[in-house]
């Protein structure tokens, strides 16, 4: 998150002589696919830019403009969606859920979880009863908002 914010800050400080792109950049769908495939690993803006063959400042700026959040925030939300699904479907220990989904440790997982969802993972697990687990799993729009938007692919593929 810090690297993403620093790169974005540098991009904002530099003069922007070019016109804004109106269409979604061709690399954006690959960017989202890369993040969703590699969320459990450490993803930096620089590594993502190398993968996309685009300048890091441009990646950070366009991503923020399109999604209203930094790449680091999006990665954390992707990790949280996967962790929520794992909490709903299994009885894994919180430390295992944290490690599986790319969090540094259990305390980092709990801190990010609480900041985003206003409860701790163990509370979340308790609150979601067996009957409602199927309802939550079937409502994947809540757990994967960018994938749930049917127009996202058509918008990003132009």
């Amino acid at each position: 998150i810090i690297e993403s914010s620093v790169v974005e800050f540098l991009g904002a400080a530099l003069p922007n002589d070019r016109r804004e792109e109106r269409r979604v950049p061709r690399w954006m769908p690959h960017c989202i696919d890369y993040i969703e495939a590699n969320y459990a690993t450490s993803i930096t803006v620089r590594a993502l830019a190398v993968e996309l063959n685009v300048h890091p400042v441009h990646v950070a700026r366009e991503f923020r403009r399109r999604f209203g959040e930094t790449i680091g925030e999006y990665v954390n939300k992707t990790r949280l969606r996967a962790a929520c699904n794992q909490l709903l479907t299994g009885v894994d220990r919180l430390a295992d859920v944290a490690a599986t989904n790319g969090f540094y440790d259990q305390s980092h997982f709990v801190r990010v979880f609480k900041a985003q969802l206003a409860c701790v993972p163990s509370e979340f697990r308790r609150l979601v009863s067996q009957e409602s687990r199927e309802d939550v799993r079937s409502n994947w729009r809540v757990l994967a908002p960018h994938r749930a938007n049917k127009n996202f692919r058509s918008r990003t593929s132009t």
Side-chain angles (χ1 to χ4, degrees), residues 18 23 25 34-35 46 52 83 85 90 98 105 118 122 129 138 147:
R18 298 190 309 172
R23 286 188 269 158
Y34 181 85
I35 291 170
R46 184 173 298 157
L52 301 171
N85 284 329
D105 57 16
S122 57
S129 67
S138 66
R147 293 295 186 195

Side-chain angles (χ1 to χ4, degrees), residues 23-89:
R23 286 188 269 158
V24 175
R26 292 181 187 198
W27 50 264
M28 191 63 76
H30 181 58
C31 177
I32 297 300
D33 290 342
Y34 181 85
I35 291 170
E36 298 215 2
N38 298 292
Y39 67 87
T41 64
S42 177
I43 298 175
T44 64
V45 175
R46 184 173 298 157
L48 188 58
V50 168
E51 174 71 24
L52 301 171
N53 198 26
V54 180
H55 194 276
V57 171
H58 184 63
V59 171
R61 184 183 292 159
E62 280 299 310
F63 195 94
R64 173 112 183 178
R65 191 167 75 83
R66 304 279 174 191
F67 293 105
E69 60 191 2
T70 65
I71 292 170
E73 292 167 341
Y74 182 83
V75 169
N76 271 342
K77 287 181 181 178
T78 303
R79 288 175 177 160
L80 283 175
R81 282 194 308 269
C84 284
N85 284 329
Q86 190 173 354
L87 288 170
L88 291 172
T89 59

